[in-house]
Amino acid sequence: MSEATSAETAGAETASSEIVVQTRALSKVYRDFWGRQKVRALKSLDLEVRKGEVFGLLGPNGSGKTTTIKLLLGLLFPTEGEALLFGKDSSDVSKNERLGYLPEESYLYRFLNAEETLDFYGRLFDMPADVREQRIDELIKMVGLDRARKRQLQEYSKGMTRRIGLAQALINNPELILLDEPTSGLDPIGTREMKDMILRLKAEGKTVVMCSHLLADVQDVCDRIAILHQGELKELGRVDTLLTVADVTQLRAKGLTGECQQELRDVIARHHGELLEMNNPTTTLEDLFLKIVRDSEARPGRRASIEGADDNKTGGVATAD
Amino acid sequence: MVLEREIYPYLQWLLWGTGGSNFGALPRFFAVCAGFAVLAILLGYVVSLLRAERRGGFFTGLLQAGDRVFKTLKSGIAELAATSPRRVWALAKLAMKEAWRRRILIALVVYVVLLLFAAWFLSVEHPDPARLYLSFVLSATTGLVLLIALLISAFSLPGDFKSKTIYTVVTKPVRAGEIILGRILGFTVVGTFLLVAMGLCNYVFVTRSLGHVHQVEADSIERQTSTEGEDEGRTGRTTNTAGHRHRIEVDSDNQGIALTENGHYHPLDIDSEGRITVRPAVGFLRARQPDYGKLRFVDRTGVEKARGISVGSEWTYRSFIDGNTLATAIWTFSNISAATFEESRNDQGEASGEVLPIALKVRVFKTHKGTIGQPISGTIQFRNPETTAVSDPEPFYAKDSQIDEMFPSRAQVTPEGEPIDLLDDLTTEDGRLEILVKCAERGQYFGFAQADLYISKPDGSTLMNFIKVHLSIWIQMVIVITVGVVISTLVSGPVAMMFTASFIILGIFREKFLEIATDQAYGGGPAEALVRMGTQANVVSQLDQTWGVMIVQFIDTFISRPLMWGVGQILPDFQYLDSSNYAAEGYNLPWDRIFQDLTICGGYVVAFSVLGYFLLRTREVAR
Ligand SMILES: Nc1ncnc2c1ncn2[C@@H]1O[C@H](COP(=O)(O)OP(=O)(O)OP(=O)(O)O)[C@@H](O)[C@H]1O
Ligand SMILES: [Mg+2]
């Protein structure tokens, strides 16, 4: 946790002005064969992701996260608006040179083994044989599949498939990595490793755009998040500021005696403060997330009214160890 | 039948065309491509117009759509230049692995089993067993190879779309064209491997099946002596194997042969004591190299005609001359020179003057039985087209529908009995010679087509011919793979297979298809045919000119026929491309023809890859 926090602050400072991903009024309507409208999956999304950021797309199932990623990749054509990667239109193939993509599920050729898979994708980047070989070896070790490198993917477990999927996404040492639910199917250790991986990429100066509905993951690694609901952008901002509650002071301490606690209560009472609780805080992002979703369901079409992000500079979080 | 179509030199075919309304293949290719490109751009424009969510007014929409089409075209041309061989090969290898994984080898096992079964049904006792065997194995190979080509190509890309593996491919810097080319290349390699394996099976099967041995029938050998009592060697016959026996002729120097029967002969081994052993068959497989002339006719009253008469039931390709009248079939050959003649060798192997090797195939049509047990006779005569000097007509017996190889001597005589030289006197300065064939019996008819009389050059290599015929199957396979892959960019596997299969079937019947498209067939266009079917009117009966019929005919003229004509322009003529008949009938398949077919194949690969590129490029991958 502490490692993550320091990386985040470092990221915040180094976030340069270079915009890697940009969407302008990006919209997507799924139509059926006859051109009849089926679903408005994304409604006029405006986003900017800068170089070196870890950006999280959040939202409940079916809120348009995957749709957004596919639009960025050019796998889908926008109904309206445009998506630019590295300043190029998403339909431009040459953008793929600097990009890595881990799909929702690993869509890989099941009859290839790990080495063949990476070799195949390496060739698609026109990598010369020696570079390819070295990179494949590195990646297989990195994702921990060294012992299964000669086995066909159809024999892989879900988590192993996910790992080779990640390796495949990194074969070209990309500058921008798009991860669609990177931790799904991974065990807690795998999840931890994936998160560390993302932070490592960030430390290397890469840009990461990930989507997930696993809030803890997002909270741990993302610098900024966007929350989508039913295809609409509901919230956008820095994770640390979004999660700060302005008028509440949190205090964490260890080894306090009962007397000392009583003393604290007295101090608070003397200053006309109201003590809310004095035990472990529960998850924080989850609360925000659920509140936004409920709000949005109650009053569709409007932005959620949680505006804690902008006016909270005064309320610091005190943490005593 | 084999050589219905004349084969022109490659460059003439490619650039200038083959006379008449045909222009060269290359200009034609460009014209068709340009036509379809214009259509495709228009179609792309309309689709783009309909697809896009229109913001702004109607005219903004028009402009936006135009802009999109232009951008797609521009980036297409730019991407063509960025094609990387390494990526294409990576995708090809993937396609190979995929095909391999689909147990493509089973096809080979099926094929071998098929041959084993066929061995029961095909009979070596057939008068032309080589033709029977070759046409069987070649059509079986063609059928199976094309079927496999169809299956592996049509299901590959749709499979990738279905399993979504295409997502991880198109998000790499892969150009859509490379995906198409890689597939075509990969499946072609797999198909080539299969075809080579089948070709080897075919060769072994045919040569082993046709091979047979005879014994000498001991008590048939008779010593021949001339009237003066000189030893003239021995004659006899072989035992009956494979449904036939050969006559044996051995001369006084113990040189001999088992004469040609069922399209082959056997050399003999004769030891110093005169014991004869028959060696394996020779000459089953041929690769004749004909030199064709131009055919015209003279009718029974002596008037020149382009065609003879029709005897009704026969296919119009041949036309007939009536026996014992002035009716004549006249072939004019050009480029006759001293080199055309062959040194003939007598039984002793000594030169015995020059001969003109010709081959004649007669289709006999009898109106009465004639003399029982006697074949119909005819005459063959040489004429100088300039001086009209003629040789004495030489009689021959017609072997119905079989190729009869003749070796008329260079030293001919005139009808008056004067010696006349076939080259010096009967051939013009610029090498032209006419050969006249007549039927000698009243009431009987001979039928001829241009290819039925030719001057034979020395045979080509039969092995090479065998390989060339397989090469022509390969060409058809590549076309099927190309079409299959390209169509499968657009639709799901089964639909792609249906489309490609219809494409092949229409290709086989391309001529008929174009006949309907250009209103040369009876019964009108498709819509009219539907009406005729519904009203049970036959194809020639006049339909009442009601409003309904007029509308239907209007639809045919302005919609369905132009549509069919358009499709006809890109249909590969599989009937033409199938040259297995050459090998089956024992003719050398000319290289000019192979190069032409290869060029056609290349044209399909190029044009369809471009089409496939745009189809894949404009397809929303993650639908
Ligand atoms: N191919 C498609 N055709 C029609 N509708 C689609 C298609 N793909 C997605 N949708 C619809 O678009 C909406 C957004 O889907 P999307 O896959 O982007 O959601 P998501 O946020 O990724 O959800 P999840 O968390 O479940 O992955 C959903 O309502 C979905 O039903
Ligand atoms: Mg999703």
Side-chain angles (χ1 to χ4, degrees), chain A residues 28 31 75-77 79-80 91 93 96-97 107-109 111-112 121 123-128 168, chain B residues 53 79 84 86-87 90 93-94 101 160 164-165 168 170-174 617-618 620-623:
Chain A
K28 180 67 196 176
R31 293 177 186 283
L75 287 174
L76 289 174
F77 302 152
T79 313
E80 244 183 83
S91 65
V93 181
N96 294 349
E97 299 272 4
Y107 304 128
L108 302 168
Y109 293 96
F111 52 89
L112 299 179
Y121 290 111
R123 280 169 197 265
L124 294 190
F125 281 100
D126 217 348
M127 289 162 74
Q168 162 279 131
Chain B
E53 205 84 335
E79 286 188 4
S84 138
R86 190 182 272 133
R87 282 196 288 262
K93 258 177 44 184
L94 184 80
R101 208 177 58 89
D160 263 25
K164 300 185 176 172
T165 40
T168 46
V170 294
T171 50
K172 305 286 181 284
V174 175
R617 188 64 217 283
T618 50
E620 213 170 11
V621 172
R623 274 321 290 259

Side-chain angles (χ1 to χ4, degrees), chain B residues 208-518:
Chain B
R208 292 296 292 266
S209 304
L210 297 183
H212 60 271
V213 284
H214 297 273
Q215 250 66 57
V216 178
E217 217 164 69
D219 52 0
S220 71
I221 299 290
E222 283 169 12
R223 201 152 273 287
Q224 301 288 315
T225 45
S226 69
T227 41
E228 285 89 46
E230 274 175 71
D231 180 17
E232 285 203 324
R234 293 171 289 167
T235 61
R237 59 170 190 263
T238 66
T239 52
N240 189 335
T241 333
H244 65 276
R245 55 174 89 233
H246 300 259
R247 182 178 154 81
I248 290 175
E249 284 183 3
V250 180
D251 65 19
S252 50
D253 294 336
N254 270 345
Q255 301 281 328
I257 193 171
L259 295 181
T260 300
E261 197 63 53
N262 280 12
H264 67 280
Y265 65 93
H266 297 261
L268 300 178
D269 273 338
I270 303 163
D271 65 15
S272 51
E273 278 140 53
R275 270 197 299 267
I276 304 170
T277 38
V278 184
R279 294 233 299 258
V282 174
F284 262 127
L285 302 178
R286 297 283 307 269
R288 300 182 188 90
Q289 300 212 67
D291 219 352
Y292 295 105
K294 287 255 177 292
L295 171 64
R296 65 182 201 278
F297 290 90
V298 166
D299 77 1
R300 56 187 305 148
T301 57
V303 180
E304 289 243 353
K305 290 248 172 85
R307 295 188 57 80
I309 56 170
S310 164
V311 292
S313 67
E314 285 292 321
W315 183 33
T316 50
Y317 169 58
R318 282 205 170 76
S319 60
F320 284 74
I321 52 172
D322 16 19
N324 200 16
T325 62
L326 290 176
T328 316
I330 305 171
W331 279 266
T332 311
F333 292 91
S334 45
N335 300 324
I336 306 278
S337 66
T340 319
F341 290 83
E342 250 176 37
E343 195 63 49
S344 123
R345 302 196 175 272
N346 66 6
D347 295 345
Q348 281 78 30
E350 293 157 5
S352 64
E354 286 180 278
V355 292
L356 181 68
I358 60 173
L360 176 66
K361 192 163 138 188
V362 187
R363 182 84 183 85
V364 179
F365 183 81
K366 292 185 183 180
T367 56
H368 57 86
K369 278 206 179 111
T371 318
I372 303 292
Q374 270 268 335
I376 311 291
S377 64
T379 60
I380 189 162
Q381 193 180 20
F382 299 96
R383 184 167 78 180
N384 185 323
E386 271 168 18
T387 65
T388 66
V390 288
S391 68
D392 194 27
E394 207 167 306
F396 70 91
Y397 286 117
K399 299 177 179 173
D400 189 15
S401 297
Q402 282 189 31
I403 296 165
D404 190 5
E405 295 187 311
M406 304 177 186
F407 300 92
S409 164
R410 180 171 162 179
Q412 294 280 330
V413 288
T414 62
E416 292 77 37
E418 305 287 320
I420 190 166
D421 191 275
L422 193 48
L423 182 63
D424 298 338
D425 303 323
L426 292 169
T427 308
T428 62
E429 285 295 307
D430 54 352
R432 283 178 298 128
L433 169 70
E434 285 181 346
I435 301 182
L436 286 61
V437 179
K438 287 182 178 171
C439 174
E441 294 180 28
R442 175 163 297 279
Q444 313 289 34
Y445 295 81
F446 280 179
F448 293 112
Q450 184 149 297
D452 284 343
L453 176 67
Y454 57 84
I455 295 174
S456 33
K457 291 186 278 188
D459 274 11
S461 149
T462 51
L463 180 63
M464 197 62 207
N465 208 27
F466 198 79
I467 293 171
K468 281 194 277 191
V469 174
H470 282 83
L471 192 57
S472 91
I473 298 177
W474 183 87
I475 289 167
Q476 297 172 60
M477 176 191 85
V478 174
I479 294 178
V480 170
I481 288 175
T482 306
V483 173
V485 166
V486 169
I487 290 182
S488 73
T489 56
L490 208 56
V491 286
S492 71
V495 181
M497 195 192 75
M498 293 277 290
F499 260 102
T500 315
S502 341
F503 202 72
I504 299 173
I505 291 166
L506 288 184
I508 293 172
F509 299 106
R510 177 169 179 268
E511 248 158 58
K512 184 76 194 161
F513 187 78
L514 276 178
E515 251 175 43
I516 296 170
T518 51

Side-chain angles (χ1 to χ4, degrees), chain A residues 30 38-39 41 60-67 104 181 213, chain B residues 622-623:
Chain A
Y30 285 106
K38 272 207 313 210
V39 189
N61 290 135
S63 55
K65 305 183 294 290
T66 302
T67 303
E104 219 168 351
E181 300 189 9
H213 40 227
Chain B
R623 274 321 290 259

Side-chain angles (χ1 to χ4, degrees), chain B residues 561-572:
Chain B
R561 281 223 188 84
L563 217 63
M564 284 176 77
W565 184 83
V567 172
Q569 299 310 305
I570 54 166
L571 282 180

